[in-house]
Amino acid sequence: MDADAIEAGRRRWQARYDAARTRDADFTTLSGDPVEPVYGPAPGDDHAGFERIGWPGEYPFTRGLHPTGYRGRTWTIRQFAGFGNAEQTNERYRTILRNGGGGLSVAFDMPTLMGRDSDDPKALGEVGHCGVAIDSAADMEILFRDIPLGEVTTSMTISGPAVPVFCMYLVAAERQGVPVETLNGTLQTDIFKEYIAQKEWLFPPEPHLRLIGDLMEYTAARIPAYKPLSVSGYHIREAGATAAQELAYTLADGFGYVELGLSRGLPVDDVARGLSFFFDAHVDFFEEIAKFRAARRIWARWMRDVYGAANERAQWLRFHTQTAGVSLTAQQPYNNVVRTAVEALAAVLGGTNSLHTNALDETLALPSERAAEIALRTQQVLMEETGVTSVADPLGGSWYVEALTDRIEADAERIFEEIAERGRRALATSGAREHPIGPMTSGLLSGIEDGWFTGQIAESAFQYQRALEKGDKRVVGVNCHTASVTDELEILRVSHEVEREQVRTLGARRAERDEAAVRDRLAELVRVARGEGDTIAPMLEAVRAEATLGEICGALREVWGGYTEPAGF
């Protein structure tokens, strides 16, 4: 890019920066020297390829979505939490908010994630152990007691039964007296990544996509600020994917959801603005920064050039980041504080919009209160003490970071083409001219159905494990520097009484509700599910009658059946 074009971009950025609101904060170094809000080529300099780097707040958004960077608004501290019953988790949430957390992120226990009630035989021994147990709208009310849902943004990390859980969230807001149209937050709902990596599905892909399409239409019409989908790469990376695979599979899933919205007749600008993303921040510092920068650039280009999004905000890739759980070690667990800080800093330098920092003991159990506080304070030290909020994309223009960004983008594009080709072959085999949702969706479903995604991730995980065992990759405390004076940690243990009490409470609620009303409303949901109507309205009615999560999901399983992934060897 020649010097004149670069200077024109600088002037556009300056005009946007001057028109934006910035925080009343000290933007100087620790020594008191002022720093500029952004840095770029010196006036009069040419810079080949600068159009791919650009200025903050301008297409292709490599350097961030906002001209002010974190000078306008810092990232949201959104700590992921949930354990035991709704009352216990509510106490933890209020502690997080009192201590400076800016938003909530709900972790659900395994029975809830699988759409089963706490008294289901398959739930035995799992209630409240990896998150909070939610059986009905009454639990959701308790979960958010004294937390005004109209004022706090809430992220819910759940995909298989996401839609009935969302209905419970709406009913809890109604019972608080909060107009549901004012709600703001994110529901994960990303079923593609469940088939690819996490394995928490309820039905075959097509019924799940129907529910997600219904949810997209519902929120677009009634709750415009709410994001019904958080497309998740986190679980893909935790399963063993490389950085490029995490990025490519996640964005391809996002393209599939854009196609789903378009197939429902929703405008692309509305669909794209309803999506957010969720990435892993692993321990390879510069690779992670490059991954986040490449993600914004790829998404902006595909939204504009492939799917036709004209609105600038529809070209934005907004993302939450969580530090890498898979990088935590049970050996010398205090080292995890350092790993988490490095990963969090990579997320911030990559321009994350919100962040969760893992606790040092999460490789052993749910975080203790002390470990959760250290994780929260890690973000606050980065935000308040390090100066990283003063300059937008401070590593922009680094030869190394820009080369890594370009390389990861090129790797992702090759993977997109491979997914698309799989979709074309699947259509040719079936004799269909086009997929009813879209071409990327065709490739995603093909890769799910024949186990291609899981095979690719398994191979990447195997290669890393081999390097670790050979000593080519080193992990402190595991295969090097193993001597330690670290004592055994005191970890959080969820009492089995939590499960017994949850089951007793659930039984009491069933005895008190109008059983005939529950049966009638579940029957109406089944009737709609057998046809082609909108599933959200009858599901909401069932939730208002205190139908449980297991009852709702069980009724739908009877209609749509279950799913078994293909065997791979």
Side-chain angles (χ1 to χ4, degrees), residues 6-67:
I6 291 173
E7 283 308 300
R10 191 195 305 271
R11 288 192 295 271
R12 288 194 303 272
W13 166 81
Q14 188 68 60
R16 287 186 171 203
Y17 180 85
D18 292 342
R21 180 179 299 175
T22 57
R23 294 180 294 115
D24 182 14
D26 174 24
F27 300 120
T28 66
T29 69
L30 197 61
S31 303
D33 296 326
V35 294
E36 296 297 323
V38 72
Y39 289 82
D45 283 358
D46 294 341
H47 193 297
F50 190 73
E51 67 278 0
R52 292 169 53 75
I53 302 172
W55 300 95
E58 184 170 277
Y59 182 90
F61 306 106
T62 309
R63 306 193 69 186
L65 304 180
H66 306 290

Side-chain angles (χ1 to χ4, degrees), residues 89-124:
T89 300
N90 173 264
E91 291 175 9
R92 176 66 63 86
Y93 286 165
R94 287 188 281 117
T95 298
I96 290 171
L97 294 172
R98 279 196 307 271
N99 288 339
L104 299 175
S105 186
V106 184
F108 297 95
D109 70 357
M110 186 56 69
T112 305
L113 291 171
M114 299 306 297
R116 297 188 180 275
D117 290 334
S118 296
D119 60 357
D120 189 303
K122 292 185 177 181
L124 184 64

Side-chain angles (χ1 to χ4, degrees), residues 483-538:
S484 178
V485 297
T486 301
D487 295 327
E488 190 171 319
L489 287 177
E490 291 185 18
I491 61 174
L492 177 69
R493 300 185 188 277
V494 177
S495 167
H496 290 297
E497 182 57 33
V498 168
E499 180 169 327
R500 289 192 286 267
E501 179 60 28
Q502 184 73 13
V503 170
R504 282 195 295 268
T505 299
L506 177 58
R509 287 176 185 157
R510 284 204 182 103
E512 293 168 0
R513 69 189 183 179
D514 184 338
E515 200 65 34
V518 172
R519 286 197 303 271
D520 289 347
R521 293 177 185 185
L522 288 173
E524 176 61 14
L525 175 61
V526 166
R527 186 191 68 77
V528 173
R530 291 189 190 281
E532 297 181 351
D534 167 46
T535 57
I536 304 296

Side-chain angles (χ1 to χ4, degrees), residues 332 477 480-486:
Q332 300 180 21
C480 63
H481 311 297
T482 54
S484 178
V485 297
T486 301

Side-chain angles (χ1 to χ4, degrees), residues 86 90 106 108 134 136-150 154 156 163-180 182-183 218 223 539-540 543-546:
N90 173 264
V106 184
F108 297 95
I134 297 294
S136 71
D139 283 322
M140 196 70 83
E141 276 189 274
I142 296 169
L143 185 67
F144 295 111
R145 180 184 291 158
D146 299 324
I147 298 172
L149 290 176
T154 302
M156 293 189 286
V163 177
V165 166
F166 173 74
C167 290
M168 292 176 186
Y169 173 71
L170 295 188
V171 171
E174 291 173 355
R175 293 174 182 177
Q176 276 192 6
V178 175
V180 295
T182 66
L183 294 174
Y218 185 91
I223 318 175
M539 196 177 295
L540 269 171
V543 167
R544 290 183 180 117
E546 286 298 316

